[in-house]
Amino acid sequence: MTHIADRPADTIPTGAELVDRIRALQPMLAKNSAQGEADRRVVEESITALAEAGVFKIAQPKRYGGYETSMRTMLDVSAAVAEADGGTAWVVTLCNVCAWVVGLFPQQAQDDVWADTPDAKVCGVITPTSETTKVDGGYRVTGRWYYNSGSWHADWATMGVPITDESGAVVDQGMALIPRSDLKLEETWFVAGMRASGSNCMVAEDVFVPEHRVLSVPPLIEGHYGTEHTDETLYRSALVPILALVLAGPQLGLGRRALEIVQAKAATKPISYTHFAAQSDSVGFQLQLAEAAMRIETAHLHAYRAADDIDTAAAQGGYPDQLARARVRADTAWVLDNVTRAIDILLFAHGAGSFAEVNPLQRIWRDSAVAARHAVTLPTVNYEIYGKALLRRDDQITPLI
Protein backbone atom coordinates (compact mmCIF):
# COMPACT_ATOMS: atom_id res chain seq x y z
CA MET A 1 0.00 0.00 0.00
CA THR A 2 1.28 3.44 -0.87
CA HIS A 3 1.12 5.62 2.21
CA ILE A 4 -0.56 8.95 1.60
CA ALA A 5 1.74 10.93 3.85
CA ASP A 6 1.52 14.58 4.73
CA ARG A 7 -2.10 14.95 3.73
CA PRO A 8 -3.02 17.79 6.07
CA ALA A 9 -6.45 19.36 6.12
CA ASP A 10 -6.58 22.56 4.08
CA THR A 11 -6.97 24.54 7.29
CA ILE A 12 -7.02 23.40 10.89
CA PRO A 13 -9.93 25.07 12.71
CA THR A 14 -9.50 26.28 16.25
CA GLY A 15 -11.51 24.72 19.03
CA ALA A 16 -13.75 27.79 19.08
CA GLU A 17 -14.37 27.50 15.34
CA LEU A 18 -15.33 23.85 15.72
CA VAL A 19 -17.78 24.74 18.49
CA ASP A 20 -19.26 27.46 16.29
CA ARG A 21 -19.77 24.93 13.49
CA ILE A 22 -21.55 22.61 15.92
CA ARG A 23 -23.72 25.39 17.30
CA ALA A 24 -24.89 26.09 13.74
CA LEU A 25 -25.95 22.43 13.50
CA GLN A 26 -27.67 22.25 16.89
CA PRO A 27 -31.24 22.91 15.65
CA MET A 28 -30.94 19.99 13.22
CA LEU A 29 -29.29 17.74 15.82
CA ALA A 30 -32.03 18.54 18.33
CA LYS A 31 -34.74 17.96 15.71
CA ASN A 32 -33.34 14.48 15.06
CA SER A 33 -32.91 13.54 18.72
CA ALA A 34 -36.29 11.87 19.24
CA GLN A 35 -35.93 9.86 16.02
CA GLY A 36 -32.45 8.78 17.00
CA GLU A 37 -33.73 7.60 20.35
CA ALA A 38 -36.57 5.65 18.72
CA ASP A 39 -34.20 4.07 16.18
CA ARG A 40 -31.50 3.41 18.80
CA ARG A 41 -28.96 4.96 16.45
CA VAL A 42 -28.05 8.51 15.49
CA VAL A 43 -29.93 9.74 12.45
CA GLU A 44 -27.65 9.59 9.42
CA GLU A 45 -28.35 13.23 8.56
CA SER A 46 -26.73 14.19 11.86
CA ILE A 47 -23.70 11.97 11.32
CA THR A 48 -23.17 13.31 7.80
CA ALA A 49 -23.48 16.95 8.88
CA LEU A 50 -21.06 16.48 11.77
CA ALA A 51 -18.58 14.70 9.51
CA GLU A 52 -18.75 17.53 6.98
CA ALA A 53 -18.12 19.98 9.81
CA GLY A 54 -14.92 18.09 10.68
CA VAL A 55 -16.17 16.93 14.06
CA PHE A 56 -14.82 13.39 13.58
CA LYS A 57 -11.34 14.68 12.66
CA ILE A 58 -10.35 16.23 15.97
CA ALA A 59 -8.34 13.22 17.20
CA GLN A 60 -7.13 11.97 13.81
CA PRO A 61 -3.48 12.59 12.85
CA LYS A 62 -2.84 15.49 10.50
CA ARG A 63 -1.00 13.03 8.27
CA TYR A 64 -4.40 11.71 7.14
CA GLY A 65 -6.20 15.04 6.95
CA GLY A 66 -7.18 15.14 10.60
CA TYR A 67 -6.99 18.08 12.98
CA GLU A 68 -4.92 16.42 15.76
CA THR A 69 -6.21 18.83 18.40
CA SER A 70 -6.14 18.36 22.18
CA MET A 71 -7.94 16.86 25.15
CA ARG A 72 -9.51 20.26 25.88
CA THR A 73 -10.90 20.46 22.34
CA MET A 74 -12.30 16.93 22.64
CA LEU A 75 -14.21 18.04 25.74
CA ASP A 76 -15.52 21.22 24.15
CA VAL A 77 -16.63 19.49 20.95
CA SER A 78 -18.48 16.71 22.79
CA ALA A 79 -20.12 19.21 25.14
CA ALA A 80 -21.33 21.38 22.26
CA VAL A 81 -22.93 18.37 20.55
CA ALA A 82 -24.52 17.30 23.85
CA GLU A 83 -26.27 20.66 24.16
CA ALA A 84 -28.40 19.41 21.26
CA ASP A 85 -28.47 15.66 21.91
CA GLY A 86 -26.72 13.39 24.39
CA GLY A 87 -26.77 10.22 22.28
CA THR A 88 -25.20 11.96 19.32
CA ALA A 89 -22.56 13.47 21.61
CA TRP A 90 -21.74 10.03 22.99
CA VAL A 91 -21.16 8.65 19.49
CA VAL A 92 -18.96 11.64 18.61
CA THR A 93 -17.00 11.20 21.84
CA LEU A 94 -16.37 7.48 21.45
CA CYS A 95 -15.53 7.64 17.75
CA ASN A 96 -13.06 10.43 18.42
CA VAL A 97 -11.33 8.77 21.37
CA CYS A 98 -11.08 5.52 19.41
CA ALA A 99 -9.51 7.47 16.53
CA TRP A 100 -7.00 8.76 19.09
CA VAL A 101 -6.29 5.16 20.11
CA VAL A 102 -5.58 4.28 16.47
CA GLY A 103 -2.99 7.06 16.55
CA LEU A 104 -1.07 5.03 19.16
CA PHE A 105 -0.62 2.08 16.78
CA PRO A 106 2.32 1.72 14.39
CA GLN A 107 2.01 3.64 11.13
CA GLN A 108 1.33 0.42 9.21
CA ALA A 109 -1.86 -0.11 11.23
CA GLN A 110 -2.85 3.54 10.89
CA ASP A 111 -2.39 3.23 7.13
CA ASP A 112 -4.74 0.25 7.13
CA VAL A 113 -7.45 2.47 8.61
CA TRP A 114 -6.91 5.83 6.92
CA ALA A 115 -4.51 5.74 3.97
CA ASP A 116 -7.24 4.90 1.46
CA THR A 117 -10.27 5.92 3.57
CA PRO A 118 -9.34 9.08 5.49
CA ASP A 119 -12.93 9.56 6.68
CA ALA A 120 -13.10 6.14 8.38
CA LYS A 121 -14.61 6.15 11.85
CA VAL A 122 -13.63 3.85 14.71
CA CYS A 123 -15.50 2.40 17.69
CA GLY A 124 -14.12 0.16 20.40
CA VAL A 125 -14.21 -1.68 23.70
CA ILE A 126 -11.09 -2.48 25.73
CA THR A 127 -12.59 -5.32 27.79
CA PRO A 128 -10.96 -8.56 26.53
CA THR A 129 -14.14 -10.62 26.18
CA SER A 130 -12.62 -12.83 23.50
CA GLU A 131 -10.29 -15.71 22.75
CA THR A 132 -7.17 -15.65 20.59
CA THR A 133 -4.97 -18.25 18.95
CA LYS A 134 -1.40 -17.38 17.99
CA VAL A 135 -0.77 -18.15 14.32
CA ASP A 136 1.88 -17.24 11.80
CA GLY A 137 1.90 -13.47 11.36
CA GLY A 138 -0.73 -12.64 13.96
CA TYR A 139 -3.74 -13.99 15.82
CA ARG A 140 -7.09 -15.57 15.11
CA VAL A 141 -9.73 -13.88 17.24
CA THR A 142 -13.19 -14.99 18.34
CA GLY A 143 -15.19 -12.84 20.72
CA ARG A 144 -18.19 -10.76 21.68
CA TRP A 145 -17.78 -7.15 22.77
CA TYR A 146 -20.78 -5.35 24.25
CA TYR A 147 -21.42 -1.61 24.50
CA ASN A 148 -19.78 -0.54 21.23
CA SER A 149 -21.03 3.03 21.08
CA GLY A 150 -21.24 4.24 17.49
CA SER A 151 -21.31 0.67 16.20
CA TRP A 152 -23.69 1.59 13.35
CA HIS A 153 -21.35 4.24 12.00
CA ALA A 154 -17.87 2.75 12.50
CA ASP A 155 -15.61 1.35 9.79
CA TRP A 156 -13.09 -0.14 12.23
CA ALA A 157 -13.04 -1.23 15.87
CA THR A 158 -10.38 -1.41 18.57
CA MET A 159 -11.18 -4.51 20.65
CA GLY A 160 -9.71 -5.84 23.85
CA VAL A 161 -8.14 -9.28 23.44
CA PRO A 162 -6.06 -11.70 25.52
CA ILE A 163 -2.64 -12.20 23.94
CA THR A 164 -1.66 -15.87 23.87
CA ASP A 165 1.53 -17.73 23.07
CA GLU A 166 1.97 -20.76 20.80
CA SER A 167 0.83 -23.08 23.61
CA GLY A 168 -2.43 -21.19 24.05
CA ALA A 169 -1.48 -19.69 27.40
CA VAL A 170 -2.58 -16.10 28.04
CA VAL A 171 0.57 -14.00 28.45
CA ASP A 172 -0.71 -10.45 28.06
CA GLN A 173 -3.70 -8.21 27.42
CA GLY A 174 -3.95 -6.38 24.13
CA MET A 175 -6.00 -4.24 21.83
CA ALA A 176 -6.73 -5.50 18.32
CA LEU A 177 -7.66 -3.26 15.42
CA ILE A 178 -10.31 -5.02 13.33
CA PRO A 179 -12.17 -3.81 10.22
CA ARG A 180 -15.94 -3.56 10.65
CA SER A 181 -16.35 -5.81 7.59
CA ASP A 182 -14.87 -8.69 9.64
CA LEU A 183 -17.37 -8.21 12.47
CA LYS A 184 -21.04 -8.95 12.91
CA LEU A 185 -23.36 -6.60 14.78
CA GLU A 186 -25.99 -7.86 17.21
CA GLU A 187 -28.61 -5.39 18.39
CA THR A 188 -28.41 -5.59 22.17
CA TRP A 189 -28.80 -1.93 23.14
CA PHE A 190 -32.25 -1.68 24.77
CA VAL A 191 -31.81 0.81 27.59
CA ALA A 192 -33.41 3.75 29.40
CA GLY A 193 -30.99 6.45 28.26
CA MET A 194 -28.31 7.17 25.67
CA ARG A 195 -30.46 5.08 23.33
CA ALA A 196 -29.21 6.80 20.19
CA SER A 197 -25.62 5.78 20.95
CA GLY A 198 -26.24 2.37 19.34
CA SER A 199 -23.92 0.69 21.83
CA ASN A 200 -24.47 -2.78 20.45
CA CYS A 201 -22.51 -6.03 20.55
CA MET A 202 -19.81 -6.71 17.96
CA VAL A 203 -18.98 -10.32 17.20
CA ALA A 204 -15.83 -11.84 15.69
CA GLU A 205 -15.73 -15.44 14.51
CA ASP A 206 -12.22 -16.74 13.84
CA VAL A 207 -11.02 -13.40 12.41
CA PHE A 208 -7.35 -13.07 11.47
CA VAL A 209 -5.65 -9.99 12.92
CA PRO A 210 -2.06 -9.33 11.74
CA GLU A 211 0.52 -8.70 14.41
CA HIS A 212 1.00 -5.03 13.51
CA ARG A 213 -2.63 -4.41 14.44
CA VAL A 214 -2.28 -5.72 18.00
CA LEU A 215 -0.90 -3.63 20.86
CA SER A 216 0.00 -4.77 24.37
CA VAL A 217 -2.02 -2.78 26.93
CA PRO A 218 0.31 -2.66 29.99
CA PRO A 219 3.01 -0.63 28.18
CA LEU A 220 0.31 1.73 26.90
CA ILE A 221 -0.78 2.47 30.45
CA GLU A 222 2.75 3.70 31.17
CA GLY A 223 2.96 5.75 27.97
CA HIS A 224 4.94 3.37 25.77
CA TYR A 225 3.06 3.53 22.48
CA GLY A 226 3.47 1.81 19.13
CA THR A 227 3.50 4.90 16.91
CA GLU A 228 6.77 5.93 15.34
CA HIS A 229 5.61 9.56 15.23
CA THR A 230 6.74 10.59 18.69
CA ASP A 231 6.76 14.24 17.64
CA GLU A 232 2.94 14.29 17.50
CA THR A 233 1.92 15.87 20.78
CA LEU A 234 -1.62 14.51 20.98
CA TYR A 235 -0.39 10.92 20.79
CA ARG A 236 1.92 11.42 23.76
CA SER A 237 -1.12 12.02 25.99
CA ALA A 238 -1.71 9.65 28.92
CA LEU A 239 -3.86 6.66 27.97
CA VAL A 240 -6.26 6.07 30.86
CA PRO A 241 -6.72 9.76 31.71
CA ILE A 242 -7.81 10.38 28.10
CA LEU A 243 -10.10 7.33 28.07
CA ALA A 244 -11.77 8.44 31.30
CA LEU A 245 -11.94 12.22 30.96
CA VAL A 246 -13.29 12.21 27.42
CA LEU A 247 -16.51 10.72 28.83
CA ALA A 248 -17.08 13.89 30.85
CA GLY A 249 -17.57 15.98 27.72
CA PRO A 250 -21.19 15.00 27.02
CA GLN A 251 -22.06 15.54 30.69
CA LEU A 252 -20.86 19.15 30.54
CA GLY A 253 -23.11 19.90 27.58
CA LEU A 254 -26.10 18.10 29.08
CA GLY A 255 -25.75 20.08 32.30
CA ARG A 256 -25.44 23.40 30.48
CA ARG A 257 -28.51 22.70 28.36
CA ALA A 258 -30.64 21.64 31.34
CA LEU A 259 -29.71 24.86 33.16
CA GLU A 260 -30.50 26.93 30.07
CA ILE A 261 -33.97 25.37 29.66
CA VAL A 262 -34.97 25.78 33.31
CA GLN A 263 -33.61 29.31 33.48
CA ALA A 264 -35.43 30.35 30.30
CA LYS A 265 -38.82 29.09 31.55
CA ALA A 266 -38.56 30.53 35.04
CA ALA A 267 -40.17 33.91 34.29
CA THR A 268 -43.35 32.42 32.83
CA LYS A 269 -43.79 29.07 34.60
CA PRO A 270 -45.81 29.17 37.83
CA ILE A 271 -45.23 27.00 40.90
CA SER A 272 -48.42 24.98 41.25
CA TYR A 273 -50.40 25.17 44.50
CA THR A 274 -48.53 28.30 45.61
CA HIS A 275 -49.02 32.04 45.16
CA PHE A 276 -46.05 32.19 42.77
CA ALA A 277 -47.13 33.06 39.23
CA ALA A 278 -43.48 32.79 38.15
CA GLN A 279 -40.81 30.45 39.45
CA SER A 280 -38.31 33.28 39.23
CA ASP A 281 -40.10 35.09 42.08
CA SER A 282 -39.46 32.21 44.49
CA VAL A 283 -36.40 32.42 46.73
CA GLY A 284 -36.50 28.63 46.99
CA PHE A 285 -36.29 28.35 43.19
CA GLN A 286 -33.50 30.93 43.10
CA LEU A 287 -31.49 28.87 45.60
CA GLN A 288 -32.01 25.69 43.57
CA LEU A 289 -30.97 27.41 40.37
CA ALA A 290 -27.85 28.87 42.00
CA GLU A 291 -26.77 25.52 43.44
CA ALA A 292 -27.28 23.76 40.11
CA ALA A 293 -25.33 26.47 38.28
CA MET A 294 -22.46 26.28 40.76
CA ARG A 295 -22.29 22.49 40.46
CA ILE A 296 -22.14 22.72 36.67
CA GLU A 297 -19.44 25.39 36.90
CA THR A 298 -17.51 23.22 39.38
CA ALA A 299 -17.72 20.32 36.94
CA HIS A 300 -16.22 22.50 34.21
CA LEU A 301 -13.39 23.67 36.46
CA HIS A 302 -12.36 20.10 37.28
CA ALA A 303 -12.76 18.86 33.72
CA TYR A 304 -10.68 21.70 32.32
CA ARG A 305 -7.99 21.36 34.96
CA ALA A 306 -7.67 17.67 34.15
CA ALA A 307 -7.59 18.37 30.42
CA ASP A 308 -4.92 21.01 30.91
CA ASP A 309 -2.85 18.56 32.98
CA ILE A 310 -3.04 16.00 30.17
CA ASP A 311 -2.31 18.50 27.40
CA THR A 312 0.54 20.17 29.26
CA ALA A 313 2.30 16.90 30.02
CA ALA A 314 1.97 15.81 26.38
CA ALA A 315 3.31 19.14 25.10
CA GLN A 316 6.30 18.91 27.44
CA GLY A 317 7.05 15.35 26.38
CA GLY A 318 6.53 13.99 29.89
CA TYR A 319 4.16 11.36 31.22
CA PRO A 320 2.10 11.99 34.36
CA ASP A 321 2.94 9.84 37.37
CA GLN A 322 0.37 7.51 38.89
CA LEU A 323 -0.88 10.08 41.40
CA ALA A 324 -1.53 12.65 38.68
CA ARG A 325 -3.26 10.05 36.52
CA ALA A 326 -5.38 8.88 39.44
CA ARG A 327 -6.46 12.47 40.07
CA VAL A 328 -7.80 12.68 36.51
CA ARG A 329 -10.01 9.68 37.23
CA ALA A 330 -11.21 11.44 40.39
CA ASP A 331 -11.75 14.67 38.46
CA THR A 332 -13.88 12.75 35.97
CA ALA A 333 -15.95 11.31 38.79
CA TRP A 334 -16.36 14.77 40.33
CA VAL A 335 -17.75 16.03 37.02
CA LEU A 336 -20.32 13.24 36.97
CA ASP A 337 -21.25 13.67 40.62
CA ASN A 338 -21.85 17.38 40.18
CA VAL A 339 -23.61 17.34 36.82
CA THR A 340 -25.99 14.51 37.70
CA ARG A 341 -26.83 16.20 41.00
CA ALA A 342 -27.31 19.55 39.22
CA ILE A 343 -29.71 18.00 36.71
CA ASP A 344 -31.69 16.38 39.53
CA ILE A 345 -31.97 19.76 41.28
CA LEU A 346 -33.06 21.45 38.06
CA LEU A 347 -35.79 18.89 37.42
CA PHE A 348 -37.09 19.30 40.97
CA ALA A 349 -37.08 23.06 40.43
CA HIS A 350 -38.77 22.86 37.03
CA GLY A 351 -41.41 20.43 38.25
CA ALA A 352 -43.29 17.41 36.95
CA GLY A 353 -43.52 18.89 33.47
CA SER A 354 -39.84 17.96 33.11
CA PHE A 355 -40.94 14.40 32.39
CA ALA A 356 -43.29 15.10 29.50
CA GLU A 357 -42.10 13.26 26.40
CA VAL A 358 -42.00 16.54 24.48
CA ASN A 359 -39.76 18.14 27.10
CA PRO A 360 -36.04 17.69 26.33
CA LEU A 361 -35.28 17.72 30.05
CA GLN A 362 -36.46 14.13 30.46
CA ARG A 363 -34.06 12.91 27.76
CA ILE A 364 -31.21 14.96 29.24
CA TRP A 365 -31.91 13.41 32.65
CA ARG A 366 -31.98 9.85 31.27
CA ASP A 367 -28.95 10.30 29.01
CA SER A 368 -26.86 11.81 31.78
CA ALA A 369 -27.88 9.15 34.30
CA VAL A 370 -27.04 6.24 31.99
CA ALA A 371 -23.74 7.76 30.82
CA ALA A 372 -22.70 8.41 34.42
CA ARG A 373 -22.75 4.67 35.11
CA HIS A 374 -19.96 3.90 32.65
CA ALA A 375 -17.50 1.59 34.42
CA VAL A 376 -14.48 3.85 33.81
CA THR A 377 -16.19 6.85 35.40
CA LEU A 378 -18.00 5.41 38.44
CA PRO A 379 -17.40 7.93 41.24
CA THR A 380 -16.92 5.53 44.14
CA VAL A 381 -14.42 3.46 42.16
CA ASN A 382 -12.51 6.50 40.96
CA TYR A 383 -12.37 8.09 44.40
CA GLU A 384 -11.00 4.87 45.84
CA ILE A 385 -8.32 4.80 43.13
CA TYR A 386 -7.34 8.38 43.98
CA GLY A 387 -7.46 7.79 47.72
CA LYS A 388 -5.14 4.80 47.45
CA ALA A 389 -2.79 6.81 45.24
CA LEU A 390 -2.75 9.67 47.76
CA LEU A 391 -1.82 7.20 50.50
CA ARG A 392 0.71 5.49 48.22
CA ARG A 393 -0.83 2.13 48.97
CA ASP A 394 0.22 -0.96 47.08
CA ASP A 395 -3.27 -2.51 46.92
CA GLN A 396 -4.70 -0.60 43.95
CA ILE A 397 -7.95 -2.03 42.60
CA THR A 398 -7.09 -1.72 38.90
CA PRO A 399 -4.09 -1.25 36.62
CA LEU A 400 -6.15 1.19 34.53
CA ILE A 401 -4.73 4.40 35.95
Side-chain angles (χ1 to χ4, degrees), residues 266-288:
T268 57
K269 193 175 189 300
I271 300 179
S272 298
Y273 306 115
T274 74
H275 297 300
F276 291 112
Q279 292 175 330
S280 56
D281 292 334
S282 164
V283 171
F285 178 88
Q286 294 162 10
L287 293 172
Q288 288 176 305

Side-chain angles (χ1 to χ4, degrees), residues 71-83 85-86 89-94 96-97 194 239-257 295-308 310 327-340 343 364 367-379 382-383:
M71 181 66 244
R72 172 64 182 264
T73 300
M74 292 170 75
L75 284 179
D76 286 341
V77 162
S78 294
V81 178
E83 289 174 357
D85 181 50
W90 198 256
V91 169
V92 166
T93 300
L94 271 294
N96 279 330
V97 77
M194 283 292 176
L239 178 75
V240 179
I242 286 263
L243 297 181
L245 185 62
V246 74
L247 302 179
Q251 296 285 359
L252 299 177
L254 290 168
R256 293 199 303 246
R257 180 58 178 149
R295 286 183 178 274
I296 293 165
E297 290 166 14
T298 296
H300 280 76
L301 290 171
H302 278 267
Y304 288 158
R305 180 188 69 175
D308 289 345
I310 292 169
R327 190 175 77 171
V328 174
R329 287 202 62 163
D331 281 328
T332 304
W334 201 248
V335 171
L336 271 58
D337 257 351
N338 278 281
V339 171
T340 53
I343 291 173
I364 290 170
D367 285 349
S368 173
V370 169
R373 271 68 181 183
H374 191 287
V376 176
T377 62
L378 288 172
N382 286 5
Y383 298 151

Side-chain angles (χ1 to χ4, degrees), residues 23-301:
R23 292 252 161 86
L25 296 175
Q26 283 180 346
M28 180 270 294
L29 300 176
K31 171 184 70 70
N32 288 338
S33 59
Q35 188 63 50
E37 185 166 59
D39 294 344
R40 289 174 293 108
R41 60 186 294 177
V42 177
V43 173
E44 204 59 36
E45 179 189 24
S46 297
I47 294 292
T48 299
L50 289 165
E52 291 175 348
V55 171
F56 292 105
K57 291 184 174 294
I58 63 172
Q60 181 187 32
K62 293 176 183 177
R63 290 174 285 111
Y64 303 101
Y67 299 157
E68 199 177 309
T69 61
S70 64
M71 181 66 244
R72 172 64 182 264
T73 300
M74 292 170 75
L75 284 179
D76 286 341
V77 162
S78 294
V81 178
E83 289 174 357
D85 181 50
T88 304
W90 198 256
V91 169
V92 166
T93 300
L94 271 294
C95 286
N96 279 330
V97 77
C98 289
W100 175 78
V101 170
V102 174
L104 308 183
F105 277 78
Q107 180 174 305
Q108 185 179 359
Q110 296 182 41
D111 283 351
D112 289 348
V113 177
W114 288 314
D116 293 335
T117 53
D119 293 329
K121 302 178 190 66
V122 189
C123 67
V125 174
I126 63 172
T127 307
T129 51
S130 57
E131 299 176 352
T132 60
T133 302
K134 185 76 175 75
V135 296
D136 186 34
Y139 300 86
R140 301 208 72 87
V141 178
T142 296
R144 300 172 63 84
W145 298 270
Y146 290 88
Y147 313 126
N148 272 274
S149 302
S151 58
W152 290 112
H153 315 287
D155 304 286
W156 286 77
T158 57
M159 300 303 204
V161 295
I163 296 178
T164 54
D165 62 16
E166 289 77 1
S167 71
V170 175
V171 295
D172 200 355
Q173 180 178 339
M175 281 196 295
L177 189 55
I178 304 174
R180 174 67 180 81
S181 57
D182 286 349
L183 299 166
K184 296 179 181 178
L185 186 152
E186 289 188 6
E187 291 194 59
T188 55
W189 190 242
F190 300 93
V191 291
M194 283 292 176
R195 290 175 179 169
S197 69
S199 304
N200 292 298
C201 178
M202 293 288 211
V203 182
E205 296 179 359
D206 196 31
V207 171
F208 175 71
V209 181
E211 198 146 6
H212 71 272
R213 285 203 255 117
V214 177
L215 283 180
S216 171
V217 169
L220 300 181
I221 293 172
E222 297 300 327
H224 305 298
Y225 300 150
T227 178
E228 302 90 338
H229 299 278
T230 56
D231 59 322
E232 295 175 341
T233 299
L234 181 60
Y235 310 102
R236 295 199 298 253
S237 303
L239 178 75
V240 179
I242 286 263
L243 297 181
L245 185 62
V246 74
L247 302 179
Q251 296 285 359
L252 299 177
L254 290 168
R256 293 199 303 246
R257 180 58 178 149
L259 178 63
E260 181 182 297
I261 292 169
V262 173
Q263 190 174 356
K265 297 285 187 181
T268 57
K269 193 175 189 300
I271 300 179
S272 298
Y273 306 115
T274 74
H275 297 300
F276 291 112
Q279 292 175 330
S280 56
D281 292 334
S282 164
V283 171
F285 178 88
Q286 294 162 10
L287 293 172
Q288 288 176 305
L289 193 69
E291 181 181 351
M294 290 302 296
R295 286 183 178 274
I296 293 165
E297 290 166 14
T298 296
H300 280 76
L301 290 171

